[in-house]
Amino acid sequence: MRIIRDTHFIDPNDRGAAAAIGNFDGVHLGHQAVIDLTRKAAANVGAPLGIMTFEPHPRSYFSNVSNPFRLMNAEAKAHRLEKLGVEKLYEVPFNDTLASLSARDFAQTIIADQLGLKHVVVGADFCFGQGRKGNAKTLAEMGAEMGFGVTIAPMMQVGDADISSTAIRQALSDGRPDDAAKMLGHWHRLENIVIRGDQRGRDLGYPTANMSIDGLHPPKFGVYAVKIDVRDGPHAGSYNGAASIGVRPMFGENRPNCETFIFDFKGDLYGTTVSVALVAYLRPELKFDGLDALIIQMDADCVTAREILANV
């Protein structure tokens, strides 16, 4: 998969795709339905399958929100899109210039002139341009005028509820990773580079792979049964384990992070990229009377996590 970040000086070979447009945060089932429609459109016009998304996320640009909301960082999103067969990922820089474009100027300058897209697919709730004045219907009208096709994808539902990144965030906040997975079509994953922590886990007999969750929507703090993909390095592969997400109340005030104990593993993961899939919520974060009580609980957590993961 090619990632194109500079739309002003684009390689001619990267123009002319059929692309879905959106933020694709989480790459949930609704997004996947949009991608499937785009795949069909790409085949019909003989074009590569593309995605146009935006970095940073427009919500971050406009609101400067203090509460992290993203389900995925850019790297995790790219990994998921590549698995779905996307050939061209346009990460359009979201800045003052882009934000000031009218809907018509966005369609003409970005879609038609710079990227030369042959066909675009958007969700029924798609809005674009300064003040979000453009919508899916107006984009279709502009496409007919400017020379690119437009497909409008309907909203998808699970039961009576629309699938959305907002609903997925709520499920994760409630400690319901299984419900989030039903909307995502895959386990929700936290992905980042393994960093050095305080190494308390090693002293307790539970060495962990620690990674930051800064900028991401935090799932409910607590302990989870998890599946782990080590994406690079000599230990690349898939594993099972248990992860603690939160602020580690046993050890004072700390920045939220994710600490993952990988079952039956020995090795150094510092500097490697690890993806942690949340399979089941086991319990909330707790402050124990002492380290012995903490270790007993960790032993029990790992037994429970192994039992759950054996049937997944």
Side-chain angles (χ1 to χ4, degrees):
M1 182 178 73
R2 287 263 299 160
I3 301 179
I4 299 98
R5 297 186 174 92
D6 189 342
T7 59
H8 290 87
F9 302 98
I10 188 169
D11 187 317
N13 293 323
D14 290 325
R15 289 170 47 83
I21 305 176
N23 292 309
F24 294 92
D25 190 22
V27 194
H28 55 59
L29 287 175
H31 297 145
Q32 292 171 47
V34 171
I35 294 170
D36 285 342
L37 286 174
T38 312
R39 195 188 320 277
K40 293 175 183 176
N44 288 337
V45 298
L49 172 60
I51 295 290
M52 183 200 296
T53 188
F54 306 94
E55 289 294 337
H57 193 296
R59 180 175 167 186
S60 298
Y61 173 88
F62 283 116
S63 60
N64 292 318
V65 290
S66 57
N67 294 326
F69 66 91
R70 290 186 68 151
L71 293 169
M72 286 178 160
N73 57 29
E75 294 76 18
K77 183 193 297 184
H79 286 147
R80 178 59 58 179
L81 292 172
E82 186 172 26
K83 285 184 177 180
L84 294 174
V86 173
E87 298 168 84
K88 310 283 185 182
L89 174 57
Y90 304 100
E91 286 187 355
V92 179
F94 202 94
N95 50 31
D96 290 346
T97 300
L98 191 71
S100 66
L101 291 178
S102 68
R104 172 167 288 276
D105 287 343
F106 175 85
Q108 183 67 63
T109 303
I110 306 298
I111 297 177
D113 296 344
Q114 293 184 0
L115 300 185
L117 299 180
K118 293 182 178 180
H119 197 97
V120 298
V121 181
V122 296
D125 59 346
F126 179 70
C127 294
F128 68 105
Q130 187 178 40
R132 294 169 59 84
K133 292 181 179 179
N135 56 38
K137 182 180 178 181
T138 57
L139 182 63
E141 294 168 354
M142 292 174 187
E145 174 187 338
M146 298 174 188
F148 56 87
V150 177
T151 298
I152 301 173
M155 295 288 288
M156 280 194 69
Q157 292 184 320
V158 171
D160 296 327
D162 288 339
I163 295 174
S164 69
S165 298
T166 299
I168 293 165
R169 282 190 286 269
Q170 187 60 57
L172 294 170
S173 294
D174 294 343
R176 297 183 285 114
D178 50 340
D179 288 340
K182 291 174 184 175
M183 292 183 276
L184 286 164
H186 53 83
W187 300 114
H188 175 64
R189 288 180 172 271
L190 302 173
E191 181 173 321
N192 216 327
I193 294 172
V194 176
I195 58 177
R196 291 190 179 274
D198 296 323
Q199 299 187 325
R200 296 191 189 97
R202 180 175 302 177
D203 295 337
L204 297 173
Y206 283 94
T208 57
N210 300 335
M211 63 185 191
S212 169
I213 60 171
D214 286 355
L216 298 177
H217 174 77
K220 185 175 182 178
F221 289 169
V223 177
Y224 291 79
V226 298
K227 287 187 168 291
I228 306 104
D229 286 340
V230 178
R231 295 204 177 278
D232 50 31
H235 303 291
S238 298
Y239 306 86
N240 289 341
S244 177
I245 300 172
V247 295
R248 306 170 298 291
M250 280 288 293
F251 306 101
E253 292 296 322
N254 301 281
R255 196 178 189 88
N257 76 347
C258 176
E259 299 185 345
T260 304
F261 174 65
I262 303 176
F263 298 152
D264 310 313
F265 176 85
K266 291 184 179 179
D268 186 346
L269 293 176
Y270 293 127
T272 62
T273 299
V274 170
S275 175
V276 178
L278 307 186
V279 175
Y281 181 77
L282 304 184
R283 64 169 177 84
E285 272 199 309
L286 300 171
K287 187 172 183 179
F288 296 90
D289 292 335
L291 294 181
D292 288 343
L294 172 60
I295 293 171
I296 290 170
Q297 182 61 60
M298 291 167 70
D299 290 343
D301 293 337
C302 289
V303 168
T304 302
R306 286 181 184 273
E307 291 174 350
I308 291 171
L309 296 169
N311 296 308
V312 173

